[in-house]
Amino acid sequence: MKRIIGILSFSIIVVALMAQRASTYTVSGYVSDAESGERLIGAAVFDTITHQGAVTNTAGFYTLTLPAHQSCALVATYVGYSPSHVFSADSAQTHSFALTSTTHLQEVTVTGHVSISAPDNVQMSAIDVPVNQILAIPAIGGEVDVLKAIQLLPGVQSSGEGSAGIYVRGGGPDENLIMLDGAPLYNINHAMGMFSVFNADAIKNVTLYKGNFPARFGSRLSSVIDVQQKEGNNSYWHGGVSVGLIASKINVEGPIFSKSQLDSLRQGYSPRAKTTFNLSARRTYFDLFTAPLIAAVTASADMALWAGYYFYDVNAKLSHTFSEKDRLRIGFYNGMDVQYTNTKQEDEDASGFYSFDMRYTWGNTLATIDWQHRINHQLFLNTQVYYSGYYCRLKQQMEIESRDAGIYTGFNQGMGYNSMINDVSASTHLEFTPNQRHQLTAGIQYIYHHFRPSVQNNYILAVGDTSNALANVDTVYGGQVLHGHEMAAYVEDTWTPCPWFRLNYGARFSLYSISGQVYPSAEPRIGMRFLLHRDVALKMSYSYMSQYVHLLSNSRVSFPSDLWVPVTREVPPMRSMQVASGLSYDVLGQVELSVEGYYKRSLNLLEYKEGANFMTNSQGWQTQVEIGNGWSYGVEFLAQRKVGPVTGWIGYTWSRSMRQFDNINEGKPFHAKYDREHDLSITLMYQITPRIDIAGTFVYGTGNRGTLATQIYYDNYGEVEYYKERNSYQFPDYHRLDLAINFHFPHKKWSHAEHMLNVSCYNVYCHMNPVMIESNIYSGSLYQISIFPILPSISYIFKF
């Protein structure tokens, strides 16, 4: 591995020395929204004279190296914005662009850039998903959801009816690296998977990588979902309030002016603040209605019951620009789910009582600090530190008191469960553009992992009139604290030796240390683009990935008690190798067509042993898992329209996903539980008038897999169910139609304000899709459990 690092480092030095001798000059700068000042990620900057182009990074920064002694004519473009042009003479200089948003929503698209089309880009298996599209897609209860929008893309499958969990190219839910502002989130769901943790009002940009992973990404096998929060408007305050059937939201963003800028504002000028903020909050309120209702329905002279559930999210972002070269960003997220039950029942003669209290909480806390520094026109540096934590806590207590015939007896029993994972990380990322043929990136990262997979505490206390304890038990088991250290270094180069060929090559080198065990990994990455025609490209890629954490779950449904655990001496890292190839075709700049085929091999996957349950086992989770391998393959098709009154996409996936474990299914290969052969999604948006737009989504997929008992036999311990083959039963096909319409009403007094009414319907023709299938072995019949019939909803949004 040291030899590989040395060769790559030497190559970078050689390229840099050659660049110094080249007769070139460099233009760099930022691309931002003209109204809000928000930096635009993925904007294209194109020189119409040399036909050289660049794309802005996550800081909205671009750098473009051009031949010397030649003028340049630059145009900056971004989907949904009017292009901006500039002409200049040759010299190293800075040109920043402020783009004006168009007024027609139909010009906003799923992905792609105007000047640098998808066939020209070497990156494959990646899709940008602008938030404007997410906001238009129909959703349960009108609660728009980032991850549910991603589920509609080819190669991505949902984990079940109404769930925000995702499976990408045959991988499990723990094989997705889901990041908010560059930091990983370990719990992505609310309400047992019905909603994701992402509040769309706080989100600026979403990018999905299914393969051909850039070298800066690691630690997961199947996908990367990179979510960036808004930074805030630098000119004026604005925001919005949304009231729906399930939750209410508020978003406020704006500038924090200095004293001198406030004086300029009073004098009628429009200064641009150097400091901006964005703050969003969301909370459900079912418990505010259901808890009193439950209490009223169950109320009696001797009993009281109070129960409910709610979740909330808080997103915040603070950004300060010191100069054209330096910027500091601070991000924060906190989200929590709370489920509670309190009941008390008294005896009719007041001689005793029974009470039961339960509180179940789980959630994420995340904080990031980024320092972005432009060293010169060719070098850009981003340094970040972050904290990310997830916890799950369950506490329940039962108390009984009685006084029978004057004899007092008290009984108190309780149980507590606690699981958590905490990460602290520091990293630095360098981007270097030595000349027009090379774009280099390199970086290092360190992550400290703190694991406490599960701690369970049980206690029993019984007392009598003698004041002596009749029974006193207090037991704690599980809870071994583990400390992991993960280090990584990466380097990659995008090389364009000629217009028709482009190569992206690099590697990521990682080292994971835990409890004296060290696991090294060298992960090569390569991608190639052959331009067959100006608008047609053939692409190929290979990616090797390693994963050092696992999510243990023995249920088809995502529960907060599912365990995040690290690799150990007994459980090695998961590995995967993925190859992909495809064609990309840009039709007249309006329709983008792509087809990709892939094959992925995964090693050291985990599955629970039959009958295992970590919440009732004191020997540790490592004794309850099996280690095996898996493979998946498929073909994906995507057609999307970029401009015009009708926009949207059609995605189709044909795929297979298999698993094999020595001690499961008698060692024979079996279908993964999320193996679905066919998936089709159609998503369309239509702007009827500037005040009315509609959207619709149709989804079809073959059913998920499950294991059903086929026979019953009896042994010395009684009745035992017999399962012939793991995941041999396939659920009925899944299909659903969702529709939504939005009405926009401008505010009569405030030019920047509008009222918006959203009317949507989930599962329009009320097809009862199965969530679970139960079998009755005695009668030979099957029973389907469904949860979502037709669900109409209405929500009101006020933007100011």
Side-chain angles (χ1 to χ4, degrees):
M1 186 172 69
K2 292 181 179 179
R3 182 178 299 176
I4 296 175
I5 295 175
I7 293 173
L8 288 172
S9 301
F10 178 75
S11 300
I12 292 175
I13 294 172
V14 171
V15 171
L17 292 175
M18 292 175 62
Q20 293 177 359
R21 298 174 57 186
S23 181
T24 60
Y25 73 100
T26 302
V27 179
S28 65
Y30 299 90
V31 181
S32 60
D33 184 294
E35 185 177 18
S36 68
E38 191 88 37
R39 301 255 175 102
L40 300 178
I41 302 171
V45 179
F46 191 77
D47 178 27
T48 59
I49 297 176
T50 64
H51 299 286
Q52 300 289 330
V55 176
T56 57
N57 61 13
T58 56
F61 176 78
Y62 78 93
T63 179
L64 190 59
T65 301
L66 302 171
H69 312 297
Q70 183 172 310
S71 300
C72 66
L74 302 180
V75 56
T77 60
Y78 190 72
V79 177
Y81 288 77
S82 299
S84 177
H85 300 263
V86 66
F87 179 84
S88 68
D90 56 331
S91 62
Q93 53 196 302
T94 299
H95 284 303
S96 292
F97 297 87
L99 305 186
T100 302
S101 175
T102 58
T103 57
H104 302 290
L105 293 179
Q106 67 267 22
E107 296 183 12
V108 180
T109 183
V110 179
T111 186
H113 310 287
V114 175
S115 296
I116 301 178
S117 62
D120 190 62
N121 195 347
V122 70
Q123 179 70 54
M124 66 181 300
S125 304
I127 303 176
D128 294 327
V129 190
V131 176
N132 284 335
Q133 285 285 345
I134 296 172
L135 294 173
I137 295 174
I140 296 178
E143 192 65 25
V144 293
D145 195 297
V146 171
L147 294 185
K148 283 190 170 63
I150 291 177
Q151 290 175 355
L152 300 174
L153 299 173
V156 183
Q157 299 173 344
S158 67
S159 57
E161 174 71 83
S163 173
I166 61 174
Y167 300 87
V168 180
R169 290 187 171 178
D174 62 333
E175 298 176 22
N176 306 305
L177 178 61
I178 300 177
M179 302 188 302
L180 182 64
D181 287 341
L185 280 170
Y186 285 97
N187 177 55
I188 62 168
N189 296 322
H190 286 305
M192 304 297 180
M194 285 181 58
F195 307 100
S196 77
V197 299
F198 296 111
N199 180 355
D201 291 341
I203 302 305
K204 176 173 71 172
N205 192 81
V206 181
T207 304
L208 166 68
Y209 298 88
K210 301 177 292 183
N212 191 202
F213 301 103
R216 67 182 182 273
F217 295 128
S219 301
R220 297 296 189 275
L221 301 187
S222 293
S223 77
V224 176
I225 300 176
D226 187 12
V227 181
Q228 298 289 328
Q229 294 189 94
K230 292 179 181 177
E231 296 173 2
N233 192 304
N234 66 4
S235 297
Y236 57 89
W237 283 39
H238 77 96
V241 177
S242 173
V243 180
L245 298 179
I246 295 175
S248 289
K249 300 178 287 186
I250 184 170
N251 171 249
V252 180
E253 62 175 297
I256 301 176
F257 290 116
S258 63
K259 183 178 180 181
S260 61
Q261 289 175 325
L262 287 174
D263 293 336
S264 299
L265 197 63
R266 296 188 189 100
Q267 296 173 10
Y269 297 99
S270 300
R272 294 280 187 175
K274 292 187 176 182
T275 305
T276 62
F277 78 94
N278 182 77
L279 178 65
S280 297
R282 171 177 64 165
R283 191 194 191 278
T284 58
Y285 35 67
F286 270 180
D287 63 306
L288 302 180
F289 305 103
T290 58
L293 180 62
I294 292 173
V297 171
T298 60
S300 62
D302 58 352
M303 181 179 176
L305 174 63
W306 191 267
Y309 164 82
Y310 67 90
F311 71 79
Y312 72 82
D313 297 294
V314 177
N315 296 75
K317 192 75 173 281
L318 183 69
S319 176
H320 179 74
T321 302
F322 294 94
S323 66
E324 192 71 20
K325 291 186 175 182
D326 292 282
R327 195 181 200 197
L328 183 70
R329 304 186 303 176
I330 301 175
F332 174 79
Y333 168 80
N334 178 254
M336 180 186 291
D337 291 64
V338 179
Q339 182 181 350
Y340 57 90
T341 301
N342 308 101
T343 181
K344 186 173 182 179
Q345 183 174 6
E346 295 186 355
D347 295 340
E348 294 183 358
D349 57 358
S351 61
F353 71 89
Y354 162 83
S355 69
F356 176 79
D357 297 321
M358 185 276 289
R359 186 175 179 86
Y360 198 6
T361 60
W362 62 95
N364 295 290
T365 299
L366 179 147
T368 63
I369 300 176
D370 289 87
W371 173 50
Q372 298 172 342
H373 176 60
R374 193 192 73 189
I375 301 173
N376 56 39
H377 292 289
Q378 296 174 303
L379 287 167
F380 187 87
L381 182 71
N382 185 82
T383 302
Q384 182 186 66
V385 295
Y386 71 72
Y387 164 80
S388 179
Y390 170 68
Y391 67 89
C392 172
R393 301 187 184 104
L394 171 64
K395 183 179 180 181
Q396 58 187 36
Q397 180 179 3
M398 180 177 65
E399 187 175 359
I400 301 174
E401 289 188 8
S402 66
R403 190 174 295 277
D404 187 11
I407 300 176
Y408 169 78
T409 303
F411 178 80
N412 194 327
Q413 181 182 12
M415 189 274 283
Y417 172 82
N418 189 9
S419 175
M420 67 177 64
I421 177 174
N422 297 293
D423 287 353
V424 178
S425 173
S427 64
T428 186
H429 174 79
L430 180 68
E431 299 177 9
F432 176 38
T433 306
N435 55 47
Q436 65 268 32
R437 292 190 175 185
H438 291 274
Q439 295 176 340
L440 294 155
T441 61
I444 56 175
Q445 183 180 26
Y446 168 75
I447 307 175
Y448 167 70
H449 300 278
H450 177 272
F451 297 90
R452 175 170 278 186
S454 65
V455 181
Q456 189 162 331
N457 169 240
N458 293 318
Y459 67 89
I460 299 174
L461 176 64
V463 297
D465 266 339
T466 61
S467 299
N468 295 322
L470 303 178
N472 189 349
V473 178
D474 194 341
T475 304
V476 178
Y477 58 86
Q480 180 185 6
V481 177
L482 300 172
H483 305 275
H485 304 271
E486 184 176 352
M487 291 151 281
Y490 58 88
V491 60
E492 69 178 345
D493 176 31
T494 299
W495 176 41
T496 310
C498 58
W500 59 269
F501 178 69
R502 182 168 291 168
L503 174 68
N504 176 271
Y505 61 100
R508 180 182 179 89
F509 309 95
S510 60
L511 198 69
Y512 195 90
S513 173
I514 187 167
S515 303
Q517 180 69 39
V518 177
Y519 290 103
S521 179
E523 306 168 16
R525 318 281 174 84
I526 187 169
M528 292 178 286
R529 184 271 286 158
F530 300 89
L531 202 60
L532 306 179
H533 183 269
R534 184 184 63 181
D535 299 320
V536 182
L538 171 66
K539 299 181 181 183
M540 292 180 285
S541 68
Y542 170 81
S543 298
Y544 185 95
M545 306 290 282
S546 298
Q547 181 168 333
Y548 301 106
V549 294
H550 310 274
L551 181 65
L552 299 182
S553 174
N554 54 0
S555 172
R556 290 191 295 267
V557 182
S558 175
F559 283 101
S561 56
D562 294 347
L563 288 180
W564 281 101
V565 295
V567 297
T568 64
R569 290 181 180 275
E570 294 78 16
V571 181
M574 296 191 292
R575 317 279 192 186
S576 75
M577 293 76 72
Q578 181 180 158
V579 294
S581 180
L583 287 170
S584 179
Y585 178 34
D586 188 48
V587 184
L588 302 176
Q590 295 192 22
V591 178
E592 193 170 292
L593 303 176
S594 66
V595 58
E596 291 187 16
Y598 68 90
Y599 177 84
K600 182 169 66 175
R601 180 77 178 180
S602 301
L603 308 176
N604 304 327
L605 302 179
L606 296 190
E607 287 273 355
Y608 263 114
K609 294 180 179 179
E610 301 291 349
N613 189 333
F614 57 81
M615 290 193 70
T616 59
N617 187 285
S618 60
Q619 298 180 4
W621 61 270
Q622 299 173 75
T623 64
Q624 303 190 70
V625 296
E626 297 286 351
I627 300 174
N629 302 322
W631 58 95
S632 58
Y633 49 90
V635 178
E636 301 165 0
F637 171 79
L638 177 65
Q640 53 191 16
R641 180 176 170 83
K642 299 180 179 180
V643 294
V646 178
T647 60
W649 68 90
I650 300 174
Y652 169 75
T653 304
W654 176 89
S655 62
R656 298 273 70 176
S657 182
M658 304 296 292
R659 297 289 184 265
Q660 187 170 21
F661 293 76
D662 290 340
N663 298 316
I664 297 178
N665 202 49
E666 299 178 349
K668 297 182 294 185
F670 60 90
H671 295 277
K673 62 182 178 181
Y674 32 83
D675 178 30
R676 289 163 54 171
E677 188 172 4
H678 301 283
D679 264 294
L680 172 69
S681 64
I682 302 174
T683 302
L684 297 175
M685 294 87 172
Y686 177 40
Q687 185 81 30
I688 302 175
T689 71
R691 295 190 179 186
I692 302 176
D693 59 269
I694 61 175
T697 297
F698 174 75
V699 179
Y700 169 82
T702 48
N704 288 329
R705 296 278 178 170
T707 306
L708 298 179
T710 58
Q711 295 178 359
I712 289 180
Y713 66 91
Y714 297 87
D715 60 12
N716 295 332
Y717 300 97
E719 188 177 274
V720 179
E721 293 183 340
Y722 172 72
Y723 299 87
K724 182 178 180 181
E725 192 170 336
R726 196 177 183 100
N727 295 336
S728 59
Y729 177 79
Q730 187 165 31
F731 287 22
D733 290 353
Y734 180 99
H735 52 91
R736 190 188 78 240
L737 174 67
D738 306 331
L739 295 175
I741 183 169
N742 296 310
F743 301 94
H744 305 263
F745 307 99
H747 196 276
K748 294 182 179 180
K749 295 182 179 180
W750 300 342
S751 59
H752 286 88
E754 75 166 8
H755 305 273
M756 177 177 165
L757 187 67
N758 170 271
V759 180
S760 62
C761 186
Y762 182 89
N763 196 6
V764 171
Y765 53 85
C766 197
H767 180 252
M768 302 304 293
N769 291 295
V771 174
M772 191 177 298
I773 301 290
E774 298 290 345
S775 63
N776 188 321
I777 302 175
Y778 300 101
S779 63
S781 57
L782 299 177
Y783 300 92
Q784 174 179 307
I785 300 175
S786 303
I787 57 175
F788 288 128
I790 181 173
L791 294 176
S793 65
I794 186 171
S795 60
Y796 167 76
I797 302 100
F798 174 62
K799 299 180 180 180
F800 58 89

